[in-house]
Amino acid sequence: MLIDYTLILLYVSSIVVFLGTPGPVAVLVANSSVNGGISAGMKTIIGTNLASIILISVSFLMINGIFSANDHALSFLTFFGALYLIYFSIDTLKSKVNLSKESLDKNKSKSWLRSGFLIGISNPKDILFFIAFFPAFFNVTDNKTASMFVLLTIWVILDYALLFLLSFFFTKVSKENTANKINKCSGSILLLIACFALYTSAPEVFQVLA
């Protein structure tokens, strides 16, 4: 099996830049880590990673012609994901961080995994990346199935590593005043992202429903 290491290097660089760009997933991981510690951060990362694996698989199936993505379906996915993100961000803005042990135990019971998955699967940035950009790297080997395995493995490793570093960094916040400021800031960013996603997807959704 021939492997194009130059293309792999380009792929790795692209992922690092992509994951390093602020977006709803990174903000959510930071928020969950501040509120619920490393456990909540890891649950969120698992949820977002599962969503990424699904989007990568869809991209692979598309490039092989098994089925084609429907533009309207993607708009609906983004639309409902934005609605959930608005709900989540407003709840974040209303909440106050309590870094006591009792509070952290309570926060760990929240469904961070579900939130991570829903925001990851409906994130328009991820959808555009995987469907429009990811297929360009399917020639990393001379076998498409092998390429899928190689690219997916690299993605999972880098995704977990980079988001874990982000989560670990924010779990070091020990002052409640600082934690609450981060909480409000992340909630505001999530709300802005959600409003933009809603603004871009709503016209097409309402046009289809009309």
Side-chain angles (χ1 to χ4, degrees):
M1 181 178 67
L2 298 176
I3 300 177
D4 189 336
Y5 290 101
T6 301
L7 197 58
I8 286 183
L9 181 61
L10 180 60
Y11 174 66
V12 170
S13 302
S14 300
I15 292 177
V16 172
V17 172
F18 176 74
L19 292 176
T21 304
V25 169
V27 175
L28 182 64
V29 170
N31 177 263
S32 62
S33 301
V34 168
N35 281 273
I38 196 67
S39 175
M42 284 306 300
K43 289 177 183 177
T44 306
I45 294 170
I46 291 172
T48 61
N49 199 267
L50 287 174
S52 297
I53 290 174
I54 290 175
L55 293 177
I56 291 173
S57 300
V58 169
S59 178
F60 179 71
L61 293 174
M62 285 176 57
I63 204 68
N64 280 282
I66 297 177
F67 70 88
S68 58
N70 185 296
D71 291 336
H72 296 320
L74 295 178
S75 294
F76 272 90
L77 186 62
T78 301
F79 179 79
F80 287 109
L83 290 179
Y84 176 79
L85 192 53
I86 288 175
Y87 162 78
F88 183 88
S89 59
I90 291 176
D91 184 62
T92 297
L93 288 170
K94 290 167 57 179
S95 65
K96 288 187 177 182
V97 179
N98 186 338
L99 297 179
S100 66
K101 182 66 170 62
E102 180 181 353
S103 176
L104 290 181
D105 288 342
K106 182 179 179 180
N107 278 324
K108 287 177 183 177
S109 66
K110 291 184 177 181
S111 186
W112 294 110
L113 190 149
R114 182 187 62 190
S115 297
F117 177 81
L118 290 175
I119 290 177
I121 201 70
S122 62
N123 181 11
K125 175 185 168 185
D126 281 6
I127 293 172
L128 290 175
F129 177 80
F130 290 123
I131 292 180
F133 183 69
F134 184 79
F137 296 97
F138 278 142
N139 291 324
V140 71
T141 74
D142 53 358
N143 182 284
K144 285 185 178 180
T145 301
S147 294
M148 172 66 178
F149 177 77
V150 170
L151 297 176
L152 185 59
T153 301
I154 293 174
W155 170 269
V156 170
I157 292 173
L158 289 177
D159 191 34
Y160 271 108
L162 294 175
L163 290 179
F164 175 78
L165 289 176
L166 178 68
S167 175
F168 181 77
F169 173 78
F170 279 97
T171 56
K172 295 305 178 181
V173 176
S174 58
K175 295 182 179 180
E176 289 190 3
N177 185 43
T178 302
N180 275 297
K181 287 181 179 179
I182 294 174
N183 202 46
K184 301 301 180 186
C185 182
S186 61
S188 299
I189 294 174
L190 286 173
L191 185 58
L192 288 174
I193 293 172
C195 289
F196 178 76
L198 198 64
Y199 173 78
T200 56
S201 60
E204 184 171 350
V205 169
F206 289 133
Q207 183 180 6
V208 173
L209 294 177

